[in-house]
């Protein structure tokens, strides 16, 4: 790395991974051979995961006139090698600017299948080799509800691998996700989910339409909107207008018919246990999503509001529309309130009205989505279990089970 027009003053080394004895001693021993002073040092263990950060500056009393650029590069090289030996992730920041480890670009590839066959894994490995990357480690994340493997790579181009592996994954009928490795992968502390056909297994407006006797017409408009063939706001207003006169008491019956997607409770319980915050954004209605917020312990939510007068739906909406742009704006607002950078957010959705949200997030996941969404998302999940998204974040089945128990004991 070249430091243009300035001399670097500080190097922040951040190591993260599964906690075990000796990690701090090994890191500090590695740093002890360099002429540096520790300006700040902090260590914390959360949910069995260690996060250790050391802020370093050159000690000119020991090495006057030392070339700081060269010194920091040597430290990065030494610590990167030690991190690989300890099976830990490491990030570096020079004067607050993130730089890559010196051992080459490190990527994490997650493979999921039900079943996951040897031929599929072999084909993915061959694709990785053709891209010029090396597999340093393979780890099983889960055997239930799908088999999930994590491959740690050195080298290779992120965008090229995403493109190549997406094609190979489709051929092999598996799900594959590629992400840069390091601290930020486990620091995506805000997960934002679509509701209809993502968090729950239905489209609530279609349930309402059945009571209003206009189910077929509403379903047709919904499908056009989800395929991106119809503006969402226009489609929503047309569908809501068909509900005019429906008794508001029907909303309670619809709430009782909403069915969570398999793995939804597990996903949210595990995320909350590990310190993540969860949000939902919906083109549906607060009269129904508020129930999910309370039931699941959701931290943030945004949805449309049905107008009700004298106990009847008027066929109109109140307030701003949560459409494609509204969902992305809500994600940005939630991230700001949570103090989480957008690069450390995850968005999950299935329809065209989720695309802006998926693009804004640090990781956009298309969940059993329409082809137009799969083609534009960072990665896709095509099994019917919402909790498999956990494996994309490097969260293992053991951690899921710990969340079920409520402890790591």
């Amino acid at each position: 790395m070249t430091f243009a027009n300035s001399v670097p003053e500080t190097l922040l080394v951040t190591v993260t991974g599964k906690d075990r004895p000796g990690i701090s001693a090994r890191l500090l021993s590695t740093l002890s051979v360099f002429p540096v002073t520790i300006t700040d040092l902090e260590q914390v263990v959360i949910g069995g995961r260690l996060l250790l950060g050391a802020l370093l500056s050159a000690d000119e009393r020991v090495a006057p006139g030392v070339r700081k650029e060269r010194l920091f590069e040597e430290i990065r090289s030494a610590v990167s090698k030690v991190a690989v030996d300890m099976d830990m992730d490491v990030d570096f920041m020079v004067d607050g600017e993130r730089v890559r480890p010196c051992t080459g670009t490190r990527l994490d590839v997650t493979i999921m299948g039900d079943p996951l066959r040897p031929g599929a894994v072999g084909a993915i490995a061959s694709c990785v080799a053709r891209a010029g990357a090396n597999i340093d480690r393979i780890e099983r994340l889960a055997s239930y509800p799908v088999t999930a493997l994590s491959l740690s790579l050195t080298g290779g181009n992120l965008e090229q691998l995403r493109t190549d592996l997406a094609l190979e994954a489709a051929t092999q009928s598996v799900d594959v996700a590629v992400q840069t490795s390091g601290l930020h992968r486990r620091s995506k502390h805000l997960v934002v989910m679509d509701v209809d056909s993502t968090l729950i297994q239905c489209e609530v407006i279609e349930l309402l339409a059945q009571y209003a006797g206009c189910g077929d017409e509403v379903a047709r408009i919904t499908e056009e909107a989800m395929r991106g063939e119809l503006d969402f706001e226009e489609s929503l207003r047309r569908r809501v207008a068909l509900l005019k006169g429906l008794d508001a008491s029907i909303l309670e019956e619809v709430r009782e018919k909403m069915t969570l997607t398999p793995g939804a409770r597990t996903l949210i319980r595990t995320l909350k246990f590990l310190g993540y915050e969860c949000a939902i954004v919906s083109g549906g209605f607060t009269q129904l999503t508020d129930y999910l917020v309370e039931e699941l312990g959701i931290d943030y939510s945004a949805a449309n509001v049905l107008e009700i007068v004298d106990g009847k739906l008027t066929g109109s909406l109140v307030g701003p529309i949560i459409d494609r742009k509204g969902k992305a704006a809500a994600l940005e607002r939630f991230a700001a309130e949570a103090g989480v950078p957008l690069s450390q957010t995850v968005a999950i959705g299935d329809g065209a009205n989720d695309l802006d949200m998926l693009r804004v997030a640090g990781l956009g996941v298309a969940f059993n989505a329409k082809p137009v969404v799969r083609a534009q998302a960072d990665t896709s999940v095509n099994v019917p279990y919402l909790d498999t998204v956990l494996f994309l974040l490097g969260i293992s089945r053991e951690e899921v089970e710990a969340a079920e128990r409520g402890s790591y004991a």
Side-chain angles (χ1 to χ4, degrees):
M1 178 177 180
T2 300
F3 301 90
N5 304 321
S6 64
V7 177
E9 296 298 331
T10 62
L11 173 66
L12 175 62
V13 179
T14 308
V15 174
T16 185
K18 186 176 180 180
D19 186 35
R20 57 188 182 278
I23 293 174
S24 303
R26 180 80 181 276
L27 174 64
L28 294 171
S29 175
T30 301
L31 295 174
S32 67
V33 302
F34 296 99
V36 293
T37 61
I38 296 178
T39 303
D40 198 3
L41 182 67
E42 187 167 352
Q43 177 175 313
V44 63
V45 177
I46 303 175
R49 304 283 297 189
L50 169 76
L51 190 154
L52 171 62
L55 184 65
L56 310 174
S57 59
D59 189 348
E60 296 189 358
R61 294 169 300 178
V62 175
V66 64
R67 287 190 57 206
K68 297 177 184 178
E69 299 95 330
R70 180 61 179 168
L71 172 62
F72 287 174
E73 287 177 1
E74 291 178 354
I75 293 173
R76 288 166 51 216
S77 177
V79 172
S80 294
K81 292 175 182 177
V82 170
V84 171
D85 291 342
M86 295 189 299
D87 195 21
M88 304 290 284
D89 292 322
V90 62
D91 271 13
F92 301 99
M93 296 186 74
V94 174
D95 292 345
E97 180 181 351
R98 186 164 179 259
V99 295
R100 294 181 302 177
C102 290
T103 52
T105 304
R106 296 182 66 193
L107 302 173
D108 287 315
V109 174
T110 306
I111 309 173
M112 298 190 297
D114 183 25
L116 184 60
R117 303 187 187 281
V121 178
I124 295 297
S126 296
C127 190
V128 167
R130 289 194 298 272
N134 182 67
I135 299 175
D136 296 328
R137 185 176 74 254
I138 299 177
E139 177 185 9
R140 189 186 73 176
L141 292 174
S143 57
Y144 172 82
V146 299
T147 300
L149 300 178
S150 176
L151 281 62
S152 297
L153 312 184
T154 301
N157 178 275
L158 174 64
E159 296 307 319
Q160 179 188 344
L161 274 169
R162 274 184 175 163
T163 300
D164 294 350
L165 290 176
L167 294 173
E168 191 64 52
T171 300
Q172 300 297 330
S173 298
V174 296
D175 292 328
V176 175
V178 186
Q179 302 171 70
T180 53
S181 184
L183 172 65
H184 64 282
R185 187 186 185 202
R186 288 298 297 262
S187 297
K188 291 178 175 138
H189 284 317
L190 175 67
V191 177
V192 182
M193 292 162 277
D194 174 42
V195 176
D196 292 10
S197 299
T198 300
L199 183 63
I200 63 175
Q201 292 182 286
C202 60
E203 297 285 331
V204 294
I205 197 167
E206 294 183 9
L207 294 179
L208 289 168
Q210 292 174 11
Y211 286 96
C214 55
D216 291 343
E217 177 66 8
V218 165
R220 182 185 64 77
I221 298 172
T222 298
E223 188 62 26
E224 290 178 6
M226 296 300 282
R227 290 197 303 263
E229 300 171 2
L230 190 64
D231 175 76
F232 180 80
E233 180 173 352
E234 176 189 352
S235 74
L236 179 63
R237 293 191 183 279
R238 283 172 53 184
R239 288 176 289 172
V240 170
L242 294 171
L243 304 178
K244 183 177 180 179
L246 191 65
D247 196 291
S249 64
I250 295 300
L251 292 168
E252 182 62 34
E253 295 185 38
V254 171
R255 276 197 291 268
E256 294 176 358
K257 288 188 175 182
M258 292 192 306
T259 303
L260 291 173
T261 298
R265 286 188 187 277
T266 300
L267 171 68
I268 294 171
R269 177 177 60 239
T270 304
L271 291 172
K272 300 287 285 183
F273 180 74
L274 293 174
Y276 289 67
E277 295 194 64
C278 300
I280 56 175
V281 289
S282 177
F285 315 110
T286 58
Q287 286 91 345
L288 298 167
T289 59
D290 285 352
Y291 164 78
L292 296 171
V293 170
E294 183 176 352
E295 176 75 9
L296 298 172
I298 302 294
D299 299 293
Y300 307 96
S301 69
N304 297 300
V305 183
L306 290 166
E307 184 179 59
I308 299 173
V309 176
D310 297 329
K312 302 284 186 181
L313 274 62
T314 68
S316 299
L317 296 164
V318 179
I321 298 298
I322 302 299
D323 57 3
R324 180 167 166 169
K325 291 182 179 179
K327 287 188 172 186
L331 184 148
E332 292 175 326
R333 184 171 69 254
F334 298 155
E337 292 178 16
V340 174
L342 288 176
S343 62
Q344 295 176 2
T345 63
V346 179
I348 310 169
D350 74 300
N353 63 323
D354 297 315
L355 279 171
D356 287 6
M357 173 177 78
L358 297 180
R359 291 194 190 107
V360 166
L363 177 67
V365 181
F367 181 73
N368 292 302
K370 308 296 185 292
V372 67
V373 182
R374 292 199 304 269
Q376 298 182 54
D378 294 320
T379 188
S380 62
V381 171
N382 298 297
V383 293
Y385 312 111
L386 193 57
D387 53 335
T388 56
V389 172
L390 295 167
F391 308 140
L392 302 181
L393 306 179
I395 297 170
S396 68
R397 186 66 200 174
E398 287 75 14
E399 290 172 290
V400 174
E401 292 171 355
E404 290 176 352
R405 295 190 305 267
S407 72
Y408 276 92

